[in-house]
Amino acid sequence: MSRQHRTFFADTLEAALAKARRELGPEALLVEAGPAAPAERRHGAFRVVCADDGAASTVGENETPNCPRSLRDESFGDVCQRLERLEQTVAMMARTVTPAALPEPLARLGNLLAVHDFPELLLQELLAAVRARLAADSTAGAEAVLKEAADQIRRRLFFRPELAGQRRPTVIVLAGPPGAGKTSALVKMAMREAIAKRRPAAIVSTDGFRVAASEQLRTYASILGLPYTLAETPAALRQAVAENARCDFVFVDTPGFSRNEQDWALEWARMLDEIPGRETLLVLPASLRTLDLLEAVRWWSMFSPKALVFSRMDETDRIGGWVSAAMESGLPVSYFSTGQRIPEDLEAASEVRILEALGEKRAGASGGLAAGAGR
Ligand SMILES: Nc1nc2c(ncn2[C@@H]2O[C@H](COP(=O)(O)OP(=O)(O)OP(=O)(O)O)[C@@H](O)[C@H]2O)c(=O)[nH]1
Ligand SMILES: [Mg+2]
């Protein structure tokens, strides 16, 4: 039986849920719930997404009423994702149903973190930590709450705004989903860490499948005056690294694997594992939704990344996605890619963006989010 998702809006979460239950029946399977996106707010402040498998009020003769049909059609991975979303939803409902329990500045912080797309469990953890730290100070106002929240987030993150480069050569591998910005980040890093610092480096592409991809990188390498190799097999890659043994850095570009190419990606991950001095940087677009970023960080752990690079920082003001993905991975964040310009749009990762997001200091950027949270 086919399953569709239906979205319901209302000014409170409970009202949106009630609407869903009225239409889909009391056993409507909740998929997601949370504040509506800015473009949806004209329909209501909260949205609830439920699976509609057409089973609103009828149970077929051969059906088990306690097991929704949609669950039986899903893979284990789908069910895990669904459980995670439900966990988030339950935690969020606990918060929205008892807003009166939170003092005003904390309630506002909760809204701000929700607007920044922090996953619900982390949001609750941060609220509890801020509350515990400020418990002794009954006069703590909004500013103290935001400062404490920023401190709590910073304590859970590491930044490593440089390439380790202790071993010669350090092999910097850029991996990540298709179109994440790997090749652009590689060229930006080569300019910043090798050309600008006069450190010897080479560029290797392992993406021989797309002629345009390897030609693009070859052109960049020749503009930078760096040696370039296309290595299509593990042996060729090892040889390319060995040939550039006197370089400080060998930058290795990889193809973008999508999630249905797991076998191929695993093959690549094994090939890279064999390269001594390898430091894989996982490039992920910060503009992905938080749950997608969390999922991506898990999927890409097969490449044993040593640090994270978040791209497309110019496309989102929300920090909850990249912050929670970094926390989930336990990896340091090295760089932010902030646009298409090479080499300008690469920023050493730091806590500044967290302070800006919570302190509303960044002109024209996070003001909108913070303003939204107050509504
Ligand atoms: N807005 C924005 N665009 C970016 C950023 N980084 C890369 N891009 C653009 O995104 C597109 C893809 O970038 P690539 O560097 O080719 O991405 P990739 O991960 O190497 O892509 P594949 O090799 O096809 O998997 C290009 O048009 C880039 O200019 C960024 O930080 N912000
Ligand atoms: Mg590429």
Side-chain angles (χ1 to χ4, degrees):
M1 171 148 328
S2 75
R3 186 189 72 220
Q4 289 178 336
H5 285 175
R6 292 195 47 198
T7 308
F8 299 87
F9 295 92
D11 284 335
T12 65
L13 195 60
E14 299 91 277
L17 267 174
K19 249 190 202 177
R21 294 210 172 103
R22 262 199 312 277
E23 286 223 16
L24 303 179
E27 305 217 330
L29 191 62
L30 186 60
V31 174
E32 203 182 319
E40 298 169 334
R41 294 224 178 105
R42 64 199 154 91
H43 302 300
F46 288 89
R47 74 204 287 276
V48 160
V49 180
C50 288
D52 177 10
D53 58 6
S57 51
T58 54
V59 175
E61 275 176 22
N62 300 320
E63 305 288 349
T64 314
N66 291 337
C67 179
R69 289 167 207 187
S70 48
L71 274 184
R72 272 174 276 141
D73 295 340
E74 285 177 295
S75 71
F76 182 67
D78 287 341
V79 174
C80 287
Q81 261 191 341
R82 178 188 291 280
L83 280 176
E84 184 172 344
R85 283 201 295 261
L86 284 176
E87 211 177 13
Q88 309 257 6
T89 302
V90 167
M92 185 184 133
M93 286 168 72
R95 181 169 60 87
T96 51
V97 167
T98 55
L102 287 178
E104 168 72 12
L106 270 181
R108 285 180 66 93
L109 172 64
N111 286 343
L112 180 59
L113 296 178
V115 171
H116 270 288
D117 208 11
F118 274 78
E120 194 55 32
L121 292 182
L122 176 58
L123 186 156
Q124 292 299 334
E125 181 190 319
L126 290 170
L127 281 183
V130 172
R131 189 174 209 176
R133 290 277 302 174
L134 299 179
D137 180 3
S138 59
T139 60
E143 208 173 309
V145 163
L146 288 177
K147 186 172 172 310
E148 184 56 39
D151 277 353
Q152 290 293 337
I153 293 171
R154 285 187 311 190
R155 258 182 243 156
R156 291 165 170 79
L157 283 181
F158 310 87
F159 293 101
R160 198 189 70 186
E162 60 196 7
L163 302 177
Q166 277 143 4
R167 168 182 182 133
R168 184 181 267 198
T170 297
V171 181
I172 303 291
V173 176
L174 280 288
K182 302 176 292 296
T183 306
S184 314
L186 182 151
V187 177
K188 291 173 187 174
M189 277 180 213
M191 289 191 80
R192 182 190 186 111
E193 299 292 335
I195 306 291
K197 297 182 181 170
R198 299 178 182 275
R199 299 183 72 175
I203 291 180
V204 177
S205 171
T206 58
D207 190 353
F209 308 95
R210 294 169 309 153
V211 177
S214 59
E215 279 315 307
Q216 179 200 24
L217 197 52
R218 183 192 297 278
T219 308
Y220 274 121
S222 93
I223 293 170
L224 301 184
L226 297 179
Y228 170 85
T229 312
L230 173 60
E232 297 183 79
T233 62
L237 178 57
R238 274 196 302 274
Q239 190 184 337
V241 171
E243 279 168 6
N244 291 291
R246 293 225 210 113
C247 288
D248 283 356
F249 296 112
V250 176
F251 293 96
V252 178
D253 199 14
T254 62
F257 302 104
S258 50
R259 299 255 285 273
N260 53 13
E261 293 172 323
Q262 179 146 359
D263 292 347
W264 190 27
L266 261 174
E267 209 177 292
W268 231 258
R270 284 198 201 107
M271 160 167 107
L272 294 167
D273 267 347
E274 291 172 23
I275 305 296
R278 173 188 56 94
E279 290 259 326
T280 298
L281 302 188
L282 174 57
V283 183
L284 294 174
S287 52
L288 288 183
R289 290 192 63 186
T290 295
L291 292 183
D292 294 332
L293 266 173
L294 290 172
E295 200 52 41
V297 127
R298 282 175 216 141
W299 198 87
W300 285 91
S301 64
M302 74 174 102
F303 278 74
S304 310
K306 293 277 172 24
L308 300 172
V309 175
F310 288 104
S311 60
R312 301 183 180 273
M313 294 291 283
D314 52 312
E315 290 180 355
T316 180
D317 289 331
R318 291 171 209 266
I319 63 166
W322 68 262
V323 163
S324 51
M327 286 182 195
E328 162 96 15
S329 71
L331 294 170
V333 187
S334 286
Y335 296 97
F336 295 136
S337 169
T338 58
Q340 302 197 60
R341 292 175 309 163
I342 296 175
E344 296 91 332
D345 293 336
L346 186 72
E347 189 178 300
S350 77
E351 59 197 35
V352 169
R353 281 174 181 266
I354 297 166
L355 299 177
E356 287 172 346
L358 295 185
E360 300 183 53
K361 287 185 189 131
R362 190 180 166 86
S366 49
L369 292 188
R375 277 198 286 273

